[in-house]
Amino acid sequence: MADPTGFLKYEREEPNKKSKEDRLATWGEVYADVEPAERNEKVRKQASRCMDCGIPFCHSGGSGCPLGNLIPEWNDLVRRGDWAAASDRLHATNNFPEFTGKLCPAPCEAGCVLSISPLSGGPVSIKRVEQTIADQSWEAGYVQPQISAVSSGQRVAVVGSGPAGLAAAQQLTRAGHEVTVYERDDRLGGLLRYGIPEFKMEKKVLDRRLAQLRKEGTKFVTGCEVGVDLTVEDLRAGHDAVVLAVGALRGRDDTTTPGRELSGIHLAMEHLVPANKYVEGDGPSPVDAAGKHVVIIGGGDTGADSYGTATRQGALSVTQLDQYPTPPSTRDDERSPWPTWPYILRTYPAHEEAGERKFAVAVKRFVGDENGNVRAVEVQQVRVQKDPETGRREVIPVNDEVEELPAGLVLFAIGFEGVEHMPLLDGLGLSLTKRGTLSCGSDWQTSSPGVFVCGDAHRGASLVVWAIAEGRSVASAVDAYLTGASDLPAPVHPTALPLAVV
């Protein structure tokens, strides 16, 4: 059994990062390389902090991991040094633990019992353990293609090759169906490829998993926009079921701020995508921060990704703006009690490297030069409140003082509005909800028979772990639709939501 006093013997430790100078000199991942034996020994101690709680909230779908990862089980296997068994237990619930180990913000750690009090020394470093199991699995050869021994004779099209689409494709291929993934980009991976910077996840990590899918029998077609390059009629005629995993890539803009029409103001994805293509070897980016003062509007993950990208491109300065006050450094039990996701200040590695963040500020206007290029941003101190009558969020200046920030490049990272408008949806007779998503029934099937939806296209922009969970669940639904029953796991229901304070 687990060591119930492990958290008293060992302090929580994060993996070491490379020096700031080394990080900014390359596009590689920020964490330092460590010899596998040394890495594994350190992580064994971290896994020993897990108490194998009677009620493990860490793998509860509401307050922890929506995949239902068997966290206490593989923590104890790591503690005992049984990496093969730990790999088996981890892959039983998660197709791509190296993706979640690098990219997931770890709601499991927020739900860890050791998160109840800071006196515990902090939650178990579950994400670090997961990543190390994944690394050891590849290094030791535990990860092998799982080829189905039978063929159903049924054909499934998966539209979109992000984490949801890839998870659905792998599960359905292993169930014996003939699966083809259609991707409109020139390379596979969706946001994993072109939205996530190399310093967060090197693309060789994605490529080796894609190689496994190919060996298992999944087929891929790139550079194909379904509904344009492949007609909806041909799609339906050539497949017995269709899974829509097209993401929610319609970026939110603000066209009301004076000066928005100036050159040099972009949505964050217009910056991140060509930057990632540059790292892939496709040539210089048309939206480059080199030699410019950069202002990023928005305080979330996408803003941090643009932040780190801009510093690596050689920005003169980087300033990130957030309308909300500086969050507390520790959990406020009144606002976000355990085991809900805590409202706290989150500092990404990019924030340690250069630049600054400004809180409780909003843009008043963009200032241009004589050539129509943005040269500065005027900001004001603000407070955010809800209108008591309408319930709508209002951003109110607290005074008349205006600060001018130099800016040669401005990036909007204020979220996503939902699924992009595309001919595919019109051809299938599908319309978007008010949230910009695609609705479905309890069996993940849309109003178009035989057409299913999962991931951000169904949920809205969310976490990689939810995308994989929905991809696995939709695979189970498609398998049952095609064969009458399914033994594939379905970790989440279409209506599942994380636990939150209303």
Side-chain angles (χ1 to χ4, degrees):
M1 62 175 291
D3 182 352
T5 63
F7 76 99
L8 298 173
K9 299 176 184 176
Y10 304 110
E11 295 182 358
R12 176 184 167 98
E13 291 183 358
E14 300 293 346
N16 293 329
K17 302 184 187 75
K18 299 173 184 174
S19 68
K20 296 177 185 178
E21 295 74 18
D22 288 345
R23 281 146 60 178
L24 294 178
T26 72
W27 288 93
E29 291 185 13
V30 301
Y31 293 101
D33 295 326
V34 182
E35 287 295 322
E38 179 185 352
R39 175 202 65 201
N40 291 359
E41 184 57 32
K42 289 182 177 181
V43 170
R44 284 183 63 184
K45 292 179 180 179
Q46 291 302 299
S48 297
R49 300 185 71 245
C50 176
M51 298 181 292
D52 193 10
C53 306
I55 301 177
F57 286 83
C58 57
H59 68 203
S60 161
S63 61
C65 179
L67 278 168
N69 278 336
L70 304 169
I71 295 167
E73 292 187 29
W74 43 256
N75 272 337
D76 191 52
L77 290 166
V78 168
R79 180 183 70 87
R80 292 189 273 139
D82 192 343
W83 293 95
S87 175
D88 180 69
R89 300 312 291 146
L90 177 55
H91 281 93
T93 56
N94 189 349
N95 297 69
F96 315 123
E98 64 271 40
F99 299 169
T100 50
K102 292 178 183 293
L103 304 176
C104 183
C108 53
E109 294 189 13
C112 176
V113 171
L114 293 180
S115 288
I116 295 177
S117 169
L119 298 177
S120 70
V124 176
S125 51
I126 299 169
K127 182 175 173 179
R128 184 180 180 186
V129 177
E130 177 183 38
Q131 179 59 53
T132 304
I133 296 172
D135 289 341
Q136 179 65 17
S137 297
W138 285 101
E139 293 161 4
Y142 303 147
V143 180
Q144 296 294 329
Q146 298 181 28
I147 301 172
S148 176
V150 297
S151 174
S152 70
Q154 307 277 0
R155 294 171 295 179
V156 181
V158 176
V159 185
S161 66
L166 292 178
Q170 185 166 61
Q171 293 292 97
L172 287 166
T173 298
R174 290 175 174 178
H177 304 298
E178 184 180 326
V179 181
T180 302
V181 178
Y182 295 92
E183 171 57 59
R184 67 181 179 181
D185 285 333
D186 58 339
R187 296 183 180 91
L188 298 167
L191 282 181
L192 294 172
R193 174 75 63 182
Y194 287 142
I196 301 298
E198 188 83 354
F199 56 83
K200 283 181 70 174
M201 187 181 81
E202 294 177 358
K203 300 307 173 285
K204 64 183 181 183
V205 173
L206 170 61
D207 290 335
R208 70 185 179 189
R209 190 60 82 168
L210 289 170
Q212 181 198 30
L213 267 72
R214 284 192 175 95
K215 290 178 181 177
E216 290 175 346
T218 301
K219 299 176 182 177
F220 295 95
V221 179
T222 56
C224 178
E225 182 172 359
V226 180
V228 178
D229 304 303
L230 175 66
T231 67
V232 172
E233 292 74 19
D234 289 342
L235 175 75
R236 298 303 299 263
H239 301 90
D240 301 291
V242 176
V243 175
L244 301 180
V246 295
L249 299 174
R250 183 153 45 92
R252 183 173 289 118
D253 202 348
D254 179 7
T255 59
T256 63
T257 302
R260 173 62 182 88
E261 75 283 353
L262 294 168
S263 295
I265 303 176
H266 300 270
L267 300 184
M269 294 306 295
E270 296 171 357
H271 175 234
L272 289 173
V273 171
N276 277 299
K277 288 192 173 186
Y278 165 76
V279 178
E280 293 273 8
D282 289 354
S285 168
V287 183
D288 199 326
K292 298 174 183 176
H293 296 286
V294 179
V295 174
I296 300 168
I297 303 170
D301 281 14
T302 303
D305 291 344
S306 288
Y307 194 119
T309 299
T311 56
R312 283 159 178 76
Q313 288 177 330
L316 291 178
S317 69
V318 181
T319 307
Q320 187 173 14
L321 310 180
D322 194 325
Q323 293 179 340
Y324 294 94
T326 307
S329 57
T330 57
R331 184 195 293 266
D332 179 355
D333 288 331
E334 292 289 328
R335 182 166 188 167
S336 52
W338 178 86
T340 62
W341 182 247
Y343 176 68
I344 58 174
L345 178 65
R346 303 185 187 281
T347 299
Y348 298 83
H351 295 134
E352 305 167 351
E353 297 165 355
E356 65 173 326
R357 289 187 281 180
K358 290 181 178 291
F359 293 91
V361 297
V363 176
K364 181 180 181 181
R365 74 181 182 109
F366 301 107
V367 182
D369 62 17
E370 62 277 7
N371 298 316
N373 301 308
V374 66
R375 69 166 182 82
V377 176
E378 292 184 354
V379 300
Q380 287 181 291
Q381 293 287 321
V382 298
R383 71 174 184 272
V384 180
Q385 63 185 32
K386 279 189 177 181
D387 185 295
E389 295 183 0
T390 65
R392 292 181 178 177
R393 189 177 65 96
E394 297 179 323
V395 181
I396 310 297
V398 298
N399 54 48
D400 295 329
E401 295 181 9
V402 175
E403 180 184 5
E404 185 173 286
L405 305 175
L409 175 63
V410 177
L411 301 171
F412 276 104
I414 55 177
F416 298 88
E417 293 187 334
V419 178
E420 294 175 300
H421 300 291
M422 56 184 71
L424 170 62
L425 303 185
D426 296 333
L428 291 171
L430 298 176
S431 57
L432 300 178
T433 67
K434 292 180 179 180
R435 295 178 54 248
T437 59
L438 292 167
S439 60
C440 66
S442 60
D443 62 352
W444 299 91
Q445 194 168 187
T446 68
S447 58
S448 182
V451 178
F452 299 75
V453 65
C454 66
D456 287 1
H458 161 255
R459 174 170 293 275
S462 186
L463 308 181
V464 63
V465 68
W466 276 99
I468 298 172
E470 291 211 356
R472 288 171 66 88
S473 297
V474 84
S476 177
V478 173
D479 188 36
Y481 170 80
L482 295 174
T483 65
S486 180
D487 292 328
L488 293 177
V492 293
H493 187 271
T495 59
L497 293 172
L499 184 68
V501 177
V502 179

Short mmCIF file of all heavy atoms in Angstrom, two decimals, residues 376-422:
data_model
loop_
_atom_site.label_atom_id
_atom_site.label_comp_id
_atom_site.label_asym_id
_atom_site.label_seq_id
_atom_site.Cartn_x
_atom_site.Cartn_y
_atom_site.Cartn_z
N ALA A 376 1.58 52.88 -30.29
CA ALA A 376 1.39 52.94 -28.85
C ALA A 376 -0.01 52.45 -28.48
O ALA A 376 -0.91 52.38 -29.32
CB ALA A 376 1.60 54.36 -28.33
N VAL A 377 -0.16 52.11 -27.20
CA VAL A 377 -1.45 51.71 -26.64
C VAL A 377 -1.71 52.57 -25.41
O VAL A 377 -0.85 52.68 -24.53
CB VAL A 377 -1.46 50.22 -26.24
CG1 VAL A 377 -2.76 49.84 -25.57
CG2 VAL A 377 -1.21 49.34 -27.46
N GLU A 378 -2.87 53.20 -25.35
CA GLU A 378 -3.27 53.96 -24.18
C GLU A 378 -4.11 53.07 -23.28
O GLU A 378 -5.09 52.47 -23.72
CB GLU A 378 -4.07 55.19 -24.58
CG GLU A 378 -3.23 56.25 -25.31
CD GLU A 378 -4.03 57.51 -25.60
OE1 GLU A 378 -5.27 57.51 -25.35
OE2 GLU A 378 -3.44 58.48 -26.08
N VAL A 379 -3.72 52.96 -22.01
CA VAL A 379 -4.42 52.11 -21.06
C VAL A 379 -4.87 52.91 -19.84
O VAL A 379 -4.28 53.93 -19.49
CB VAL A 379 -3.55 50.91 -20.62
CG1 VAL A 379 -3.16 50.06 -21.80
CG2 VAL A 379 -2.31 51.39 -19.87
N GLN A 380 -5.93 52.41 -19.22
CA GLN A 380 -6.48 53.01 -18.01
C GLN A 380 -6.66 51.95 -16.94
O GLN A 380 -6.91 50.78 -17.23
CB GLN A 380 -7.84 53.65 -18.29
CG GLN A 380 -7.80 54.95 -19.07
CD GLN A 380 -9.21 55.50 -19.26
OE1 GLN A 380 -10.01 54.91 -19.98
NE2 GLN A 380 -9.50 56.62 -18.60
N GLN A 381 -6.58 52.39 -15.68
CA GLN A 381 -6.93 51.51 -14.58
C GLN A 381 -8.44 51.31 -14.59
O GLN A 381 -9.22 52.25 -14.80
CB GLN A 381 -6.51 52.13 -13.25
CG GLN A 381 -5.01 52.24 -13.06
CD GLN A 381 -4.36 50.89 -12.82
OE1 GLN A 381 -4.92 50.05 -12.10
NE2 GLN A 381 -3.20 50.68 -13.39
N VAL A 382 -8.88 50.05 -14.40
CA VAL A 382 -10.30 49.74 -14.48
C VAL A 382 -10.71 48.79 -13.36
O VAL A 382 -9.87 48.18 -12.69
CB VAL A 382 -10.67 49.09 -15.84
CG1 VAL A 382 -10.38 50.04 -16.99
CG2 VAL A 382 -9.93 47.76 -16.02
N ARG A 383 -12.00 48.65 -13.18
CA ARG A 383 -12.58 47.59 -12.35
C ARG A 383 -13.64 46.89 -13.17
O ARG A 383 -14.30 47.50 -14.03
CB ARG A 383 -13.16 48.14 -11.05
CG ARG A 383 -14.43 48.93 -11.21
CD ARG A 383 -15.03 49.30 -9.85
NE ARG A 383 -16.30 49.99 -9.99
CZ ARG A 383 -16.46 51.30 -10.14
NH1 ARG A 383 -15.37 52.09 -10.15
NH2 ARG A 383 -17.65 51.84 -10.28
N VAL A 384 -13.81 45.61 -12.94
CA VAL A 384 -14.78 44.81 -13.67
C VAL A 384 -15.92 44.48 -12.72
O VAL A 384 -15.70 44.02 -11.59
CB VAL A 384 -14.15 43.51 -14.21
CG1 VAL A 384 -15.18 42.70 -14.96
CG2 VAL A 384 -12.96 43.83 -15.11
N GLN A 385 -17.14 44.73 -13.17
CA GLN A 385 -18.29 44.47 -12.33
C GLN A 385 -19.45 43.97 -13.18
O GLN A 385 -19.43 44.08 -14.41
CB GLN A 385 -18.71 45.74 -11.59
CG GLN A 385 -19.17 46.86 -12.52
CD GLN A 385 -19.47 48.16 -11.78
OE1 GLN A 385 -18.84 48.45 -10.77
NE2 GLN A 385 -20.44 48.91 -12.27
N LYS A 386 -20.44 43.40 -12.53
CA LYS A 386 -21.64 42.94 -13.22
C LYS A 386 -22.75 43.98 -13.08
O LYS A 386 -22.98 44.51 -11.99
CB LYS A 386 -22.11 41.59 -12.66
CG LYS A 386 -21.37 40.40 -13.19
CD LYS A 386 -22.04 39.11 -12.75
CE LYS A 386 -21.34 37.89 -13.35
NZ LYS A 386 -22.01 36.62 -12.95
N ASP A 387 -23.42 44.24 -14.19
CA ASP A 387 -24.58 45.11 -14.14
C ASP A 387 -25.67 44.40 -13.33
O ASP A 387 -26.06 43.27 -13.66
CB ASP A 387 -25.08 45.41 -15.56
CG ASP A 387 -26.22 46.41 -15.57
OD1 ASP A 387 -27.30 46.07 -15.04
OD2 ASP A 387 -26.04 47.50 -16.13
N PRO A 388 -26.18 45.03 -12.26
CA PRO A 388 -27.15 44.34 -11.40
C PRO A 388 -28.46 44.00 -12.10
O PRO A 388 -29.16 43.08 -11.69
CB PRO A 388 -27.38 45.34 -10.26
CG PRO A 388 -26.95 46.67 -10.81
CD PRO A 388 -25.85 46.37 -11.79
N GLU A 389 -28.79 44.72 -13.18
CA GLU A 389 -30.05 44.47 -13.87
C GLU A 389 -29.90 43.43 -14.97
O GLU A 389 -30.72 42.52 -15.10
CB GLU A 389 -30.59 45.78 -14.45
CG GLU A 389 -30.98 46.80 -13.39
CD GLU A 389 -31.58 48.05 -14.00
OE1 GLU A 389 -31.70 48.11 -15.25
OE2 GLU A 389 -31.92 48.98 -13.24
N THR A 390 -28.85 43.55 -15.79
CA THR A 390 -28.68 42.65 -16.93
C THR A 390 -27.77 41.47 -16.63
O THR A 390 -27.82 40.46 -17.32
CB THR A 390 -28.12 43.41 -18.14
OG1 THR A 390 -26.78 43.87 -17.84
CG2 THR A 390 -28.99 44.61 -18.47
N GLY A 391 -26.92 41.61 -15.60
CA GLY A 391 -25.96 40.56 -15.29
C GLY A 391 -24.75 40.57 -16.21
O GLY A 391 -23.87 39.71 -16.09
N ARG A 392 -24.69 41.53 -17.11
CA ARG A 392 -23.57 41.61 -18.05
C ARG A 392 -22.33 42.20 -17.38
O ARG A 392 -22.43 43.05 -16.49
CB ARG A 392 -23.96 42.45 -19.27
CG ARG A 392 -25.02 41.82 -20.16
CD ARG A 392 -25.34 42.70 -21.34
NE ARG A 392 -26.32 42.10 -22.23
CZ ARG A 392 -26.81 42.68 -23.31
NH1 ARG A 392 -26.39 43.91 -23.64
NH2 ARG A 392 -27.71 42.06 -24.05
N ARG A 393 -21.19 41.75 -17.85
CA ARG A 393 -19.92 42.23 -17.32
C ARG A 393 -19.63 43.63 -17.87
O ARG A 393 -19.78 43.90 -19.05
CB ARG A 393 -18.81 41.27 -17.72
CG ARG A 393 -17.46 41.52 -17.07
CD ARG A 393 -16.49 40.45 -17.52
NE ARG A 393 -16.24 40.54 -18.94
CZ ARG A 393 -15.20 41.19 -19.49
NH1 ARG A 393 -14.31 41.78 -18.71
NH2 ARG A 393 -15.03 41.23 -20.79
N GLU A 394 -19.23 44.53 -16.97
CA GLU A 394 -18.89 45.90 -17.36
C GLU A 394 -17.46 46.21 -16.92
O GLU A 394 -17.02 45.80 -15.84
CB GLU A 394 -19.83 46.91 -16.71
CG GLU A 394 -21.28 46.78 -17.13
CD GLU A 394 -22.17 47.79 -16.44
OE1 GLU A 394 -21.92 48.06 -15.24
OE2 GLU A 394 -23.09 48.31 -17.08
N VAL A 395 -16.74 46.92 -17.78
CA VAL A 395 -15.38 47.35 -17.46
C VAL A 395 -15.42 48.86 -17.28
O VAL A 395 -15.67 49.62 -18.23
CB VAL A 395 -14.40 46.96 -18.59
CG1 VAL A 395 -12.99 47.39 -18.22
CG2 VAL A 395 -14.46 45.45 -18.85
N ILE A 396 -15.19 49.31 -16.05
CA ILE A 396 -15.38 50.72 -15.69
C ILE A 396 -14.03 51.35 -15.33
O ILE A 396 -13.33 50.85 -14.44
CB ILE A 396 -16.33 50.85 -14.48
CG1 ILE A 396 -17.61 50.04 -14.70
CG2 ILE A 396 -16.64 52.32 -14.19
CD1 ILE A 396 -18.44 50.52 -15.86
N PRO A 397 -13.63 52.47 -16.00
CA PRO A 397 -12.41 53.17 -15.60
C PRO A 397 -12.55 53.70 -14.18
O PRO A 397 -13.61 54.20 -13.78
CB PRO A 397 -12.30 54.32 -16.61
CG PRO A 397 -13.12 53.88 -17.79
CD PRO A 397 -14.24 53.06 -17.21
N VAL A 398 -11.48 53.61 -13.39
CA VAL A 398 -11.54 54.09 -12.00
C VAL A 398 -11.12 55.54 -11.89
O VAL A 398 -11.39 56.20 -10.87
CB VAL A 398 -10.66 53.21 -11.09
CG1 VAL A 398 -11.16 51.77 -11.08
CG2 VAL A 398 -9.20 53.26 -11.50
N ASN A 399 -10.46 56.07 -12.93
CA ASN A 399 -10.09 57.50 -12.95
C ASN A 399 -9.83 57.91 -14.39
O ASN A 399 -9.99 57.10 -15.32
CB ASN A 399 -8.87 57.78 -12.06
CG ASN A 399 -7.67 56.89 -12.41
OD1 ASN A 399 -7.30 56.74 -13.58
ND2 ASN A 399 -7.06 56.28 -11.39
N ASP A 400 -9.41 59.14 -14.60
CA ASP A 400 -9.18 59.67 -15.95
C ASP A 400 -7.72 59.56 -16.39
O ASP A 400 -7.38 59.98 -17.50
CB ASP A 400 -9.61 61.14 -16.02
CG ASP A 400 -11.11 61.31 -15.83
OD1 ASP A 400 -11.84 60.38 -16.21
OD2 ASP A 400 -11.53 62.34 -15.27
N GLU A 401 -6.86 59.00 -15.54
CA GLU A 401 -5.45 58.91 -15.89
C GLU A 401 -5.23 57.89 -17.01
O GLU A 401 -5.82 56.81 -17.00
CB GLU A 401 -4.62 58.53 -14.67
CG GLU A 401 -4.63 59.57 -13.56
CD GLU A 401 -3.78 59.16 -12.38
OE1 GLU A 401 -3.04 58.14 -12.52
OE2 GLU A 401 -3.83 59.83 -11.34
N VAL A 402 -4.37 58.26 -17.95
CA VAL A 402 -4.07 57.41 -19.09
C VAL A 402 -2.56 57.19 -19.17
O VAL A 402 -1.78 58.14 -19.05
CB VAL A 402 -4.57 58.03 -20.42
CG1 VAL A 402 -4.13 57.19 -21.60
CG2 VAL A 402 -6.09 58.18 -20.40
N GLU A 403 -2.16 55.94 -19.34
CA GLU A 403 -0.75 55.59 -19.51
C GLU A 403 -0.53 55.14 -20.95
O GLU A 403 -1.31 54.35 -21.48
CB GLU A 403 -0.33 54.48 -18.56
CG GLU A 403 1.12 54.06 -18.70
CD GLU A 403 1.50 52.90 -17.80
OE1 GLU A 403 0.59 52.34 -17.13
OE2 GLU A 403 2.69 52.53 -17.78
N GLU A 404 0.51 55.65 -21.58
CA GLU A 404 0.80 55.27 -22.96
C GLU A 404 1.97 54.28 -22.98
O GLU A 404 3.05 54.57 -22.47
CB GLU A 404 1.15 56.51 -23.80
CG GLU A 404 1.36 56.17 -25.28
CD GLU A 404 1.54 57.40 -26.16
OE1 GLU A 404 0.53 58.08 -26.41
OE2 GLU A 404 2.68 57.66 -26.58
N LEU A 405 1.71 53.12 -23.58
CA LEU A 405 2.73 52.08 -23.70
C LEU A 405 3.20 52.02 -25.14
O LEU A 405 2.37 51.98 -26.05
CB LEU A 405 2.17 50.72 -23.29
CG LEU A 405 1.54 50.59 -21.91
CD1 LEU A 405 0.92 49.20 -21.74
CD2 LEU A 405 2.57 50.86 -20.82
N PRO A 406 4.51 52.00 -25.38
CA PRO A 406 4.97 51.84 -26.78
C PRO A 406 4.56 50.48 -27.31
O PRO A 406 4.59 49.48 -26.58
CB PRO A 406 6.49 51.97 -26.66
CG PRO A 406 6.80 51.59 -25.24
CD PRO A 406 5.62 52.05 -24.43
N ALA A 407 4.17 50.42 -28.57
CA ALA A 407 3.71 49.15 -29.14
C ALA A 407 3.88 49.16 -30.65
O ALA A 407 3.30 49.99 -31.35
CB ALA A 407 2.25 48.90 -28.79
N GLY A 408 4.70 48.24 -31.13
CA GLY A 408 4.82 48.02 -32.57
C GLY A 408 4.07 46.77 -33.02
O GLY A 408 3.88 46.55 -34.21
N LEU A 409 3.66 45.95 -32.03
CA LEU A 409 2.87 44.75 -32.30
C LEU A 409 1.91 44.55 -31.13
O LEU A 409 2.33 44.53 -29.97
CB LEU A 409 3.77 43.53 -32.45
CG LEU A 409 3.09 42.17 -32.62
CD1 LEU A 409 2.27 42.13 -33.91
CD2 LEU A 409 4.12 41.03 -32.62
N VAL A 410 0.63 44.44 -31.45
CA VAL A 410 -0.40 44.21 -30.44
C VAL A 410 -1.10 42.90 -30.76
O VAL A 410 -1.47 42.64 -31.91
CB VAL A 410 -1.43 45.36 -30.40
CG1 VAL A 410 -2.54 45.05 -29.40
CG2 VAL A 410 -0.75 46.67 -30.06
N LEU A 411 -1.30 42.07 -29.73
CA LEU A 411 -1.90 40.75 -29.93
C LEU A 411 -3.10 40.59 -29.01
O LEU A 411 -3.00 40.78 -27.80
CB LEU A 411 -0.88 39.65 -29.64
CG LEU A 411 0.40 39.68 -30.49
CD1 LEU A 411 1.42 38.69 -29.95
CD2 LEU A 411 0.08 39.38 -31.95
N PHE A 412 -4.25 40.25 -29.60
CA PHE A 412 -5.45 39.95 -28.83
C PHE A 412 -5.45 38.47 -28.46
O PHE A 412 -5.47 37.60 -29.33
CB PHE A 412 -6.71 40.25 -29.65
CG PHE A 412 -7.14 41.69 -29.61
CD1 PHE A 412 -6.90 42.53 -30.68
CD2 PHE A 412 -7.79 42.19 -28.49
CE1 PHE A 412 -7.30 43.86 -30.65
CE2 PHE A 412 -8.20 43.52 -28.44
CZ PHE A 412 -7.96 44.36 -29.53
N ALA A 413 -5.43 38.19 -27.16
CA ALA A 413 -5.52 36.82 -26.65
C ALA A 413 -6.64 36.77 -25.64
O ALA A 413 -6.43 36.49 -24.46
CB ALA A 413 -4.19 36.39 -26.03
N ILE A 414 -7.85 37.08 -26.10
CA ILE A 414 -9.00 37.23 -25.21
C ILE A 414 -10.02 36.10 -25.39
O ILE A 414 -11.19 36.26 -25.10
CB ILE A 414 -9.66 38.61 -25.40
CG1 ILE A 414 -10.04 38.86 -26.86
CG2 ILE A 414 -8.75 39.71 -24.89
CD1 ILE A 414 -10.77 40.19 -27.08
N GLY A 415 -9.54 34.97 -25.88
CA GLY A 415 -10.40 33.80 -25.95
C GLY A 415 -10.92 33.50 -27.34
O GLY A 415 -10.50 34.13 -28.33
N PHE A 416 -11.82 32.54 -27.39
CA PHE A 416 -12.37 32.06 -28.66
C PHE A 416 -13.90 32.09 -28.59
O PHE A 416 -14.49 31.87 -27.53
CB PHE A 416 -11.89 30.64 -28.95
CG PHE A 416 -10.40 30.54 -29.11
CD1 PHE A 416 -9.58 30.33 -28.01
CD2 PHE A 416 -9.82 30.66 -30.36
CE1 PHE A 416 -8.21 30.25 -28.16
CE2 PHE A 416 -8.44 30.59 -30.52
CZ PHE A 416 -7.63 30.37 -29.42
N GLU A 417 -14.52 32.38 -29.71
CA GLU A 417 -15.98 32.50 -29.77
C GLU A 417 -16.67 31.23 -30.23
O GLU A 417 -17.89 31.17 -30.25
CB GLU A 417 -16.37 33.66 -30.70
CG GLU A 417 -15.96 35.02 -30.14
CD GLU A 417 -16.48 36.17 -30.96
OE1 GLU A 417 -16.72 35.96 -32.18
OE2 GLU A 417 -16.65 37.27 -30.41
N GLY A 418 -15.90 30.22 -30.62
CA GLY A 418 -16.52 28.96 -30.99
C GLY A 418 -16.05 28.42 -32.31
O GLY A 418 -14.99 28.81 -32.84
N VAL A 419 -16.84 27.52 -32.87
CA VAL A 419 -16.51 26.85 -34.12
C VAL A 419 -16.53 27.86 -35.27
O VAL A 419 -17.41 28.72 -35.34
CB VAL A 419 -17.51 25.71 -34.40
CG1 VAL A 419 -17.21 25.03 -35.73
CG2 VAL A 419 -17.49 24.70 -33.25
N GLU A 420 -15.57 27.74 -36.14
CA GLU A 420 -15.54 28.61 -37.31
C GLU A 420 -16.69 28.27 -38.25
O GLU A 420 -17.13 27.13 -38.35
CB GLU A 420 -14.21 28.44 -38.06
CG GLU A 420 -13.00 28.91 -37.27
CD GLU A 420 -11.70 28.61 -37.99
OE1 GLU A 420 -11.44 27.42 -38.26
OE2 GLU A 420 -10.96 29.55 -38.29
N HIS A 421 -17.19 29.28 -38.94
CA HIS A 421 -18.22 29.05 -39.95
C HIS A 421 -17.56 28.38 -41.16
O HIS A 421 -16.58 28.89 -41.70
CB HIS A 421 -18.87 30.37 -40.35
CG HIS A 421 -19.52 31.08 -39.20
ND1 HIS A 421 -20.66 30.60 -38.58
CD2 HIS A 421 -19.18 32.21 -38.53
CE1 HIS A 421 -21.00 31.42 -37.59
NE2 HIS A 421 -20.11 32.41 -37.54
N MET A 422 -18.07 27.24 -41.56
CA MET A 422 -17.43 26.46 -42.62
C MET A 422 -18.46 25.76 -43.48
O MET A 422 -19.56 25.41 -43.01
CB MET A 422 -16.45 25.46 -42.01
CG MET A 422 -17.06 24.50 -40.99
SD MET A 422 -15.83 23.40 -40.20
CE MET A 422 -14.94 24.56 -39.16
#
